[in-house]
Amino acid sequence: MRKKNCFMFILLLLPLFLNAWADWQSISSAHFRIYFKDEWTAAAEKLLGTLEYNRPLMESMTGNTKSRMPITFQDMGNIANGYTDPVGTRISVFAYPPTSDELAVGEDWWQMVACHEYLHELQIAKASGTPALLRLLFGNIFYPHLWQPAWMTEGITVYGESQFSKYAGRLNGGTYPSIISALAKQGKLPSPTKASYNSLDTPLANHYTYGGAFYNYLTKTYGKDKLAQLFDYTSASTWSYSSVLLPN
């Protein structure tokens, strides 16, 4: 009797589920597929164009490319954010643009959030050698960059979002450079280990700040081509998996 009631309940809810699914549309290119609801058609088209326009630069930074990357365009109210799920191979970007704080540094919210998240996917979803075999056997959880320190995985996105325009990205705002300069002047820059997490010692600085500053230094000192070279090395090294315990 209980199973019968459960089955009937599912049947009653089925039309609601089908209606919800039918409310979604998609547009695509060779590299991206954007999922969105009717009222966000214009924004989704702009999002796709922005990603395609900036794609070559992001691919050159990471030495990686993807095809038909699924991206969900979500209306999350006044939450300004987005996220990447490299294990599930998907990206979500939130519709609401920020009006203040460090995320508001930019000419185009879609450029900042979508490219930030796509850089995550390009960098993290990279494996060769033994890590590539482990990933093939056991799944995406064995992408070696998933196990890298937070300053490394977040730093490339902060650096990347700041390369599309001199008026966009957190490295082109006043907050991050000021924090780094102040800590350096006081002799309080953290160790590589401490730079990998949020610290009460420096509440305004975290792995986004330190990582972005490091990549900025790396490229200015040794050249932008060293980014892809670095990721080629770490994506092929089994030592990358030890970073959870030994973030140095």
Side-chain angles (χ1 to χ4, degrees):
M1 186 65 181
R2 185 175 298 175
K3 290 182 179 180
K4 183 178 179 180
N5 289 338
C6 183
F7 180 71
M8 291 298 295
F9 180 71
I10 293 174
L11 285 179
L12 288 172
L13 291 180
L14 190 58
L16 295 176
F17 294 149
L18 292 175
N19 183 60
W21 294 334
D23 195 26
W24 287 87
Q25 299 184 45
S26 69
I27 54 175
S28 63
S29 65
H31 298 90
F32 306 99
R33 183 181 291 275
I34 313 292
Y35 295 92
F36 59 95
K37 293 200 173 185
D38 290 345
E39 63 268 29
W40 296 105
T41 301
E45 291 174 349
K46 182 177 181 181
L47 185 68
L48 181 61
T50 297
L51 283 165
E52 280 291 358
Y53 180 81
N54 293 290
R55 177 183 55 80
L57 178 56
M58 293 187 283
E59 290 178 351
S60 69
M61 287 183 205
T62 58
N64 196 15
T65 186
K66 303 284 288 187
S67 59
R68 289 294 175 91
M69 183 67 203
I71 300 175
T72 304
F73 189 91
Q74 293 181 282
D75 181 357
M76 300 294 288
N78 63 352
I79 301 176
N81 213 325
Y83 65 85
T84 303
D85 176 10
V87 177
T89 315
R90 60 175 182 159
I91 291 174
S92 285
V93 297
F94 299 172
Y96 187 81
T99 55
S100 61
D101 77 28
E102 62 194 40
L103 287 178
V105 180
E107 300 170 295
D108 186 339
W109 170 241
W110 309 130
Q111 180 188 69
M112 184 171 180
V113 67
C115 293
H116 178 110
E117 300 305 338
Y118 188 52
L119 277 166
H120 269 315
E121 179 66 24
L122 289 176
Q123 189 244 350
I124 294 174
K126 188 178 173 78
S128 58
T130 300
L133 178 60
L134 291 172
R135 180 249 166 180
L136 180 65
L137 293 174
F138 303 110
N140 292 348
I141 193 67
F142 274 85
Y143 279 134
H145 285 142
L146 272 175
W147 304 87
Q148 289 292 293
W151 67 260
M152 188 171 188
T153 53
E154 292 295 351
I156 183 57
T157 59
V158 171
Y159 169 81
E161 75 190 26
S162 306
Q163 304 310 302
F164 307 122
S165 165
K166 62 181 179 180
Y167 303 110
R170 280 169 276 190
L171 293 182
N172 291 322
T175 304
Y176 280 19
S178 297
I179 290 172
I180 291 293
S181 297
L183 291 175
K185 187 174 182 179
Q186 296 173 31
K188 293 183 178 180
L189 286 174
S191 67
T193 300
K194 199 168 186 179
S196 297
Y197 58 87
N198 292 325
S199 172
L200 293 177
D201 294 348
T202 53
L204 296 179
N206 52 32
H207 42 280
Y208 290 85
T209 315
Y210 300 129
F214 169 75
Y215 284 116
N216 197 41
Y217 164 80
L218 178 68
T219 55
K220 286 184 175 181
T221 307
Y222 299 104
K224 294 183 178 180
D225 61 305
K226 294 300 186 291
L227 289 175
Q229 186 177 334
L230 171 65
F231 299 142
D232 284 343
Y233 174 77
T234 50
S235 67
S237 174
T238 53
W239 282 104
S240 295
Y241 300 116
S242 70
S243 294
V244 174
L245 298 176
L246 304 169
N248 275 326

